[in-house]
Amino acid sequence: MMKSISTIAGVILIGFGLYFGWVNGVANGAKVVYCDPRYSITASKADEYYAIRPLTDHAFLLAMIHVVVNEELYNKKFVAEQTIGFDELKQRVQKYTPEWAAPITEISADTIRRIAREMAAKAPSVFVYAPRRLTRSSNDLGTGLSITILNTLFGVWDRKGGIFSPIVFKVPEPELPEFEHAHIAKRLDTGGDFNYAIPNVPLEHIADEHGKFHRADGAGVPGRWPIANAQYGLTNKMWEAMADQKPYPIKMLLTAGGNGFLNSTNYDVIRKALMNLDFYVAADVIPNEMNMYADILLPEASYLERYDDLQIGGAREGYVAVRMPAMKPLHETRGSWDICKQIADRVGLGAYFPHDSIEELLDARLKNVGSSLAEIEEKGIIKVARDDKKNFPGEHGQMSQFPTPSGKAELIPSPLKMMGFDDALDYEEQVRPNEDEFHFTFGRIGFHTHARTQDNIWTAEFMRENELWIHPDAAKKRGIQHGERVKVTDRKGRTEEIKAKVTPRIRKDSVFMVHGFGHFDPRMTTAYNQGASDCNLASQAEDPRVGSTSMGQSLVKVAKA
Ligand SMILES: Nc1nc2c(c(=O)[nH]1)N[C@H]1C(S)=C(S)[C@@H](COP(=O)(O)OP(=O)(O)OC[C@H]3O[C@@H](n4cnc5c(=O)[nH]c(N)nc54)[C@H](O)[C@@H]3O)O[C@H]1N2
Ligand SMILES: Nc1nc2c(c(=O)[nH]1)N[C@H]1C(S)=C(S)[C@@H](COP(=O)(O)OP(=O)(O)OC[C@H]3O[C@@H](n4cnc5c(=O)[nH]c(N)nc54)[C@H](O)[C@@H]3O)O[C@H]1N2
Ligand SMILES: [Mo]
């Protein structure tokens, strides 16, 4: 079960990112503590800001847990009734004192203790927020786990001002024939909806006992990346599988959006993977570095000209919404559903597309829940009303539901133990720059979406190219002036050129650039050669337990271009 954040009051500890849901909470008097190596816009809205040393969030969180456990600041009733594993947790965090964390994180021991105490005083109307993109250190799993542990110790689940249970509008999937190639690895019979599988099965076992193939990327596959989400997969591992043609050859690719080059960290692997294909069909609305490799490029109708799949969501209220066309598609373009269906019909997979049109499919799904396409087109959105008892069962004396084998919040999760991955709780030393190097960091900006808006003349107007944030002391040492072009080079010798933004809003040992720039296909006439690509500098290392890319481990040198 996913839980969501409610923004009412109390101390909020925002970790590491851009997130606007809490702004309502701030208006209601909530306090925000924010950590980032860079003084971002988010930092400017926070009550307290700490320029944490990159990649050390886990150390900070472990010290917080240490204080909460040792000073008995946790929610005793919640921990006694709704959790397991407290004694083991207590013993395992003994070494993570605030004094231990201070030189690692560069946040003082007194500060860590004070934040822990202030939060405890306001619990359960508090939370530690996990950023969306937690792919940075060598142990992202441990960072995520520590965030969950803190929230659990404060008993924030299903409490007002804490983290609530969303109400979801349930719309069943259409009934389709069973897939010939079941890609989801065998799951442990835990009674819950789990994504992990039995570990330690040799790599050769790429098919299950029914001869069905496992996913090539290894997500959810025994012996490979059992914890990785087998529904979304591991894109980095998919590209590697395609480049190496292992564990089995992949010869055809169909994409509808996405840009492998500008959303990953290894141009060579992407290029090799694409070159290995016999046949690549891309459906898109604009050219990009990846789809220009396609044998056939199908123009998709734009979002103003098409229906898309139902948007089914849940927050305080559940909802279902639909994107509908505002005009007929121009130039014979089609929606990606039509594109997929028509390809499926021609390659003998038509049985998976039993509906004649996307309208028919959407209508059939909505009729299943007592609505219709006509109704939703008229109303735009259909909601299930918020219900305090469902959002906040904890406020009504009810136990929370946790999707764990024990049904309780597991402070040391038993599935991780079973797989031998519970060592993720322990802190791992992170890479540190030499005297002449920097931590390489990057992130979002309000004006742009990923790598898809830089070639749009209107959004490019707001920000045409990205810049390298560098501290004035570090710039001075290298004779770099604000606005001058610099060369950024990583330890592998990869290099990008970019304009310097000399600013005290970043740590002296770190540089930063906005993600999504540095396009290199000349057919992107506006974005071509503008700014630099974080994808060509971010680390290719991976979290050894999850298989995801640990993008933040890159160390770079900066010199005048
Ligand atoms: N180095 C680095 N890599 C990253 C990240 C990072 O910060 N740094 N962030 C990661 C994260 S969190 C995410 S979510 C991903 C995002 O990765 P992507 O999904 O690849 O990101 P976008 O650049 O938004 O979209 C890619 C392409 O989709 C196409 N597109 C846009 N609109 C449409 C449409 O209506 N129909 C079709 N068919 N195509 C369309 C455009 O060609 C666009 O270039 O990147 C991840 N990778
Ligand atoms: N306008 C806009 N909004 C978006 C998106 C977009 O493209 N454009 N993309 C959406 C998507 S798909 C996602 S996944 C989310 C991602 O949103 P977030 O998870 O917030 O990710 P980023 O913006 O990549 O990085 C956030 C901050 O992390 C800081 N940072 C770097 N290294 C460290 C570190 O080691 N520790 C700490 N504490 N901070 C560090 C960076 O300075 C940056 O300010 O944004 C979503 N919102
Ligand atoms: Mo994302």
Side-chain angles (χ1 to χ4, degrees):
M1 175 181 51
M2 289 280 292
K3 307 250 181 189
S4 297
I5 289 161
S6 63
T7 46
I8 300 198
V11 182
I12 297 180
L13 181 94
I14 284 289
F16 357 117
L18 134 150
Y19 174 67
F20 294 104
W22 52 270
V23 171
N24 293 340
V26 173
N28 285 339
K31 178 170 175 177
V32 176
V33 176
Y34 181 73
C35 300
D36 194 315
R38 178 180 68 107
Y39 189 82
S40 63
I41 305 270
T42 309
S44 73
K45 312 291 178 207
D47 297 272
E48 287 181 31
Y49 161 70
Y50 297 100
I52 193 166
R53 185 200 288 260
L55 311 175
T56 65
D57 303 278
H58 191 201
F60 170 67
L61 294 160
L62 284 168
M64 289 273 294
I65 297 173
H66 174 100
V67 176
V68 171
V69 163
N70 281 18
E71 296 189 8
E72 299 194 16
L73 298 173
Y74 51 90
N75 182 325
K76 298 216 178 58
K77 186 169 150 61
F78 185 85
V79 167
E81 290 174 359
Q82 302 205 48
T83 72
I84 56 173
F86 182 79
D87 292 340
E88 182 181 347
L89 175 71
K90 182 168 181 178
Q91 173 239 312
R92 287 182 61 173
V93 298
Q94 281 315 303
K95 56 185 164 187
Y96 302 123
T97 61
E99 283 69 22
W100 163 84
I104 297 174
T105 58
E106 295 183 1
I107 302 176
S108 78
D110 287 349
T111 302
I112 296 173
R113 281 206 175 83
R114 182 182 48 76
I115 295 171
R117 289 172 192 157
E118 274 187 39
M119 281 193 84
K122 297 285 181 183
S125 293
V126 298
F127 60 82
V128 180
Y129 171 63
R132 286 262 294 284
R133 192 183 61 72
L134 192 71
T135 43
R136 289 195 189 110
S137 74
S138 73
N139 187 7
D140 296 320
L141 180 60
T143 310
L145 184 58
S146 302
I147 290 169
T148 310
I149 290 171
L150 267 180
N151 283 323
T152 302
L153 290 173
F154 287 134
V156 311
W157 304 111
D158 297 323
R159 299 300 301 274
K160 289 202 166 161
I163 299 181
F164 67 91
S165 288
I167 292 175
V168 180
F169 197 128
K170 291 206 178 78
V171 185
E173 293 288 332
E175 271 183 34
L176 297 173
E178 206 199 323
F179 290 108
E180 201 181 325
H181 302 296
H183 299 290
I184 312 291
K186 188 173 162 187
R187 288 169 184 198
L188 291 181
D189 187 15
T190 52
D193 180 20
F194 280 103
N195 242 330
Y196 54 84
I198 300 159
N200 306 325
V201 175
L203 182 58
E204 306 84 78
H205 292 205
I206 55 167
D208 68 16
E209 67 268 35
H210 308 296
K212 289 178 177 173
F213 283 101
H214 289 313
R215 298 177 56 106
D217 63 2
V221 175
R224 294 195 63 203
W225 307 106
I227 335 181
N229 188 309
Q231 224 171 339
Y232 298 108
L234 288 165
T235 343
N236 53 326
K237 293 284 150 194
M238 176 195 81
W239 290 114
E240 280 172 28
M242 289 167 64
D244 300 339
Q245 300 283 294
K246 270 185 191 156
Y248 47 81
I250 294 169
K251 290 294 175 191
M252 188 182 152
L253 179 67
L254 175 62
T255 60
N259 183 354
F261 286 101
L262 272 286
N263 70 16
S264 68
T265 63
N266 195 330
Y267 288 172
D268 294 338
V269 165
I270 310 290
R271 203 172 284 121
K272 193 169 169 210
L274 291 170
M275 294 304 285
N276 275 340
L277 294 167
D278 287 342
F279 191 42
Y280 172 21
V281 182
D284 213 306
V285 291
I286 50 170
N288 72 35
E289 284 77 7
M290 178 183 80
N291 66 29
M292 282 294 144
Y293 276 78
D295 296 290
I296 299 177
L297 180 55
L298 300 169
E300 191 186 0
S302 82
Y303 70 96
L304 296 170
E305 304 165 313
R306 67 179 194 233
Y307 287 97
D308 274 329
D309 197 5
L310 297 175
Q311 292 285 310
I312 301 168
R316 290 292 298 282
E317 25 189 33
Y319 65 85
V320 55
V322 72
R323 162 175 288 150
M324 46 198 162
M327 60 184 281
K328 284 215 162 67
L330 296 173
H331 317 301
E332 287 183 72
T333 58
R334 291 175 201 181
S336 51
W337 189 88
D338 285 296
I339 291 173
C340 289
K341 178 183 167 67
Q342 290 179 29
I343 292 175
D345 282 344
R346 286 168 176 78
V347 297
L349 296 170
Y352 299 111
F353 290 81
H355 304 88
D356 287 333
S357 65
I358 187 165
E359 289 98 311
E360 190 188 309
L361 165 67
L362 297 173
D363 193 49
R365 289 187 71 189
L366 288 165
K367 288 213 164 109
N368 253 331
V369 291
S371 179
S372 66
L373 184 58
E375 186 191 358
I376 207 167
E377 286 216 41
E378 197 199 309
K379 295 185 176 160
I381 185 166
I382 301 177
K383 292 183 177 176
V384 186
R386 56 174 65 184
D387 177 346
D388 255 29
K389 284 212 169 91
K390 288 188 180 141
N391 290 141
F392 304 111
E395 297 290 334
H396 299 273
Q398 282 164 32
M399 303 281 253
S400 294
Q401 303 283 313
F402 295 103
T404 56
S406 64
K408 296 200 171 188
E410 301 186 349
L411 290 163
I412 312 284
S414 60
L416 288 188
K417 278 202 143 167
M418 203 164 13
M419 288 185 277
F421 289 150
D422 64 307
D423 60 349
L425 182 70
D426 303 321
Y427 187 70
E428 280 171 14
E429 277 296 314
Q430 297 298 313
V431 286
R432 294 231 177 127
N434 292 331
E435 190 60 16
D436 60 342
E437 290 175 320
F438 300 89
H439 284 286
F440 179 67
T441 70
F442 53 89
R444 313 278 180 260
I445 184 89
F447 312 129
H448 282 287
T449 303
H450 301 293
R452 67 165 60 182
T453 48
Q454 291 73 14
D455 201 45
N456 177 310
I457 53 171
W458 288 289
T459 43
E461 201 50 33
F462 292 110
M463 184 187 248
R464 184 70 192 246
E465 61 185 304
N466 58 355
E467 300 167 313
L468 188 80
W469 291 46
I470 183 167
H471 191 275
D473 293 355
K476 198 170 165 202
K477 245 190 188 170
R478 291 160 180 80
I480 296 166
Q481 306 282 328
H482 184 71
E484 258 184 346
R485 294 193 71 76
V486 294
K487 240 173 123 165
V488 189
T489 310
D490 80 343
R491 283 190 177 176
K492 287 197 155 87
R494 297 183 297 173
T495 274
E496 290 281 312
E497 251 190 63
I498 183 171
K499 234 195 234 168
K501 174 187 172 108
V502 178
T503 169
R505 287 169 56 190
I506 185 152
R507 287 173 57 97
K508 291 178 190 172
D509 64 356
S510 305
V511 290
F512 171 90
M513 64 174 69
V514 170
H515 166 65
F517 288 84
H519 284 276
F520 55 86
D521 191 306
R523 282 162 288 202
M524 303 186 77
T525 47
T526 301
Y528 177 62
N529 243 343
Q530 299 295 319
S533 167
D534 62 318
C535 301
N536 196 31
L537 291 167
S539 169
Q540 301 163 352
E542 62 198 26
D543 181 318
R545 299 174 192 82
V546 184
S548 50
T549 314
S550 303
M551 298 187 187
Q553 293 188 60
S554 193
L555 301 169
V556 296
K557 288 187 181 161
V558 179
K560 266 179 154 172

